[in-house]
Amino acid sequence: MFGYYFDLALRSLKRNPVLTALMVLAIGLGIGASMTMVTVLHVMSGDPLPGRSGQLYYPQLDPLPLKYQQSAYGPDPRLNFTWPDAMALVAAHRAERQAAMAGGALLVRPARTGLRPFYVDGRYATADFFAMFGVPFLRGQGWSAAEDDGRARVVVLGDTLSRKLFGTSDSVGRMVRFGDADLRVIGVTADWHPQPMFYADASSKAFGEADQFFLPLATAMDLKFDANSNQSSWASIEGDIMKSPNLTWLQVWVQLKDPAQIAAYRQFLSDYSAQQKALGRFERPPSHARLYGLMDWLGRQNLVSADVRLQLWLALGFLLVCMTNIVALLLAKFLRRSGEVSVRRALGARRRDIFLQFGIESAVIGLAGGVLGLGIAQLGLWSVRHRPDDYAHLAQMDFSMLVGTFVLAVVASVLAGLLPAWRACRVAPALQLKTL
């Protein structure tokens, strides 16, 4: 029966190619515009570490004075950690794993002939960074906690940087000069690039380029390497600026495997805040301490800009306009076939048979519109990739979005055809047969 109705749909659409083309074009334009923006939103708000994100948490403390007034334009200092607080949380070992980190950009001085010095982005971190985030290694391994404590002059390279410096040969055990320091390569990772870069400083580009080196945080401090994360202070600083209890610049992530650990860690943060308050460091209540899951933390960062959301709503509004036009065109098309419908009804066809016939015809229009919409969406995503925004390079349609394009096209066209199909199957056969 389905094959019969499908054949009827094709015959009907071929009888009026201009009207068919208009309907396919309308649904294709609406679907193409909508799926372009839905795809952009999808890649910007997706899970950066599927399978691991449910165990990753970002703690937050409140070391600010009571009289501190947050600027409406600057970043919140509480988004990052001071050195003493970050080291205390890491040293406490209250989670399965814990790591403190910060971003950095260093000058690489290649030994390779013909290669000029260049800057590259990377990450300073403590030892649990790799195991906690599941960073894949191609060769070698990360450093140990003992090497953290010993300020070992070691580095892990990303595959792209390793190939640039050493070609296809094994770089493990080789020396690389960062700034004025020689570091020994102990591992090479696959180009690990979770999007968004959830572990980075909240004020940095969440959809930036992948980190190409990783080195111990204590080593970076010992070598006076600059950190490119946001630095916020609220009091005068004496001595070592980066280790000041009045300067936030580090990020801390912890891995917690079950609700009991999560509850215990929340209590630990509250107790730590109360202890620091008793010592006179913290002035605000311990209840200001927070613990955010990875996806909750990303939601708090508002990574999807108001501009992207506005464009999505405009695209969906355009789809609604296209569907309204489809309703009008299908209504005119189906009612013009009242005589054909009446003959079928007189020969024994039921109203639901007529409704199903026209529903399948609407679905065929939607399927054709989906093919056109897919092409338009790909063109739209190509144009997005040429924009200067940091997320632009991510505008690629994955399999789920590909399937979603056709599903949305068919569903939209079937919904648009419900009223015309219902109206057509309600035609009184006797009145129409008199005119034949």
Side-chain angles (χ1 to χ4, degrees):
M1 186 61 72
F2 176 82
Y4 172 66
Y5 288 146
F6 182 74
D7 182 62
L8 287 180
L10 292 180
R11 291 174 182 271
S12 173
L13 295 175
K14 289 178 182 178
R15 279 202 297 265
N16 197 331
V18 175
L19 183 60
T20 300
L22 284 175
M23 291 188 290
V24 170
L25 180 62
I27 198 71
L29 288 172
I31 294 298
S34 300
M35 291 309 298
T36 297
M37 296 315 303
V38 168
T39 300
V40 170
L41 185 65
H42 171 70
V43 299
M44 291 182 70
S45 57
D47 187 342
L49 284 183
R52 285 184 176 268
S53 60
Q55 295 187 2
L56 298 178
Y57 292 82
Y58 192 86
Q60 186 179 48
L61 300 175
D62 191 351
L64 299 178
L66 285 173
K67 295 181 180 179
Y68 182 85
Q69 304 230 341
Q70 174 64 37
S71 169
Y73 302 101
D76 188 342
R78 293 169 296 184
L79 297 178
N80 292 324
F81 284 80
T82 66
W83 174 268
D85 292 330
M87 293 302 102
L89 264 58
V90 171
H93 294 288
R94 295 301 185 92
E96 287 285 303
R97 296 187 178 96
Q98 46 273 305
M101 63 206 72
L106 297 178
L107 180 66
V108 181
R109 303 180 188 274
R112 190 174 175 181
T113 305
L115 196 58
R116 298 171 62 87
F118 58 93
Y119 280 93
V120 64
D121 292 328
R123 190 72 33 185
Y124 317 139
T126 53
D128 277 353
F129 179 92
F130 302 102
M132 183 167 61
F133 293 150
V135 181
F137 275 83
L138 298 177
R139 293 178 293 278
Q141 60 188 6
W143 56 87
S144 65
E147 288 172 310
D148 260 337
D149 296 336
R151 297 176 175 81
R153 301 293 178 92
V154 296
V155 66
V156 172
L157 302 181
D159 186 50
T160 297
L161 180 58
S162 177
R163 288 176 178 274
K164 187 172 183 178
L165 294 174
F166 302 106
T168 57
S169 60
D170 189 357
S171 59
V172 174
R174 308 280 289 271
M175 302 299 291
V176 181
R177 192 167 185 79
F178 284 88
D180 296 323
D182 291 319
L183 304 178
R184 178 172 55 89
V185 179
I186 60 171
V188 177
T189 69
D191 284 332
W192 183 67
H193 197 193
Q195 293 293 323
M197 293 176 66
F198 65 93
Y199 59 90
D201 176 27
S203 65
S204 63
K205 290 185 176 181
F207 302 95
E209 296 181 356
D211 289 321
Q212 284 301 309
F213 71 84
F214 306 89
L215 58 88
L217 178 60
T219 302
M221 293 287 289
D222 193 45
L223 295 172
K224 306 297 182 185
F225 286 159
D226 290 333
N228 60 8
S229 57
N230 180 67
Q231 300 175 16
S232 300
S233 63
W234 52 88
S236 59
I237 298 176
E238 298 178 358
D240 191 338
I241 295 176
M242 303 307 288
K243 292 187 177 181
S244 169
N246 299 321
L247 177 76
T248 56
W249 61 283
L250 289 162
Q251 299 81 54
V252 174
W253 284 88
V254 299
Q255 182 177 352
L256 304 168
K257 66 179 182 179
D258 55 43
Q261 282 194 350
I262 295 169
Y265 202 86
R266 282 200 173 98
Q267 186 60 49
F268 163 66
L269 291 176
S270 180
D271 293 343
Y272 177 81
S273 297
Q275 179 191 57
Q276 297 304 307
K277 192 173 189 298
L279 293 172
R281 273 198 61 216
F282 289 6
E283 298 181 12
R284 303 194 180 194
S287 59
H288 283 204
R290 297 284 188 272
L291 185 64
Y292 295 94
L294 189 153
M295 297 307 294
D296 291 335
W297 179 249
L298 291 181
R300 191 176 185 277
Q301 305 312 309
N302 295 318
L303 298 182
V304 181
S305 66
D307 179 55
V308 172
R309 294 187 187 279
L310 176 61
Q311 291 179 47
L312 175 63
W313 283 112
L314 289 174
L316 292 176
F318 180 63
L319 175 60
L320 181 61
V321 171
C322 292
M323 286 183 63
T324 303
N325 288 327
I326 293 287
V327 170
L329 291 172
L330 286 175
L331 188 60
K333 178 181 177 64
F334 291 168
L335 290 181
R336 269 186 4 195
R337 296 165 60 188
S338 297
E340 173 191 332
V341 171
S342 299
V343 171
R344 289 202 64 214
R345 289 291 310 283
L347 293 175
R350 296 164 296 182
R351 283 179 176 172
R352 66 181 183 184
D353 296 325
I354 304 299
F355 189 85
L356 180 59
Q357 174 190 343
F358 288 147
I360 291 176
E361 187 169 332
S362 300
V364 171
I365 294 172
L367 191 60
V371 174
L372 177 61
L374 179 61
I376 295 173
Q378 294 289 9
L379 183 62
L381 292 172
W382 175 83
S383 68
V384 171
R385 289 195 293 272
H386 285 76
R387 293 174 57 175
D389 304 285
D390 61 340
Y391 63 82
H393 67 284
L394 299 174
Q396 303 278 356
M397 186 173 287
D398 58 19
F399 180 75
S400 63
M401 290 292 99
L402 179 66
V403 173
T405 299
F406 289 101
V407 171
L408 181 60
V410 172
V411 170
S413 61
V414 169
L415 289 177
L418 288 179
L419 176 61
W422 178 83
R423 183 68 183 83
C425 71
R426 302 294 295 181
V427 169
L431 294 177
Q432 293 296 324
L433 290 174
K434 287 181 179 179
T435 62
L436 296 178

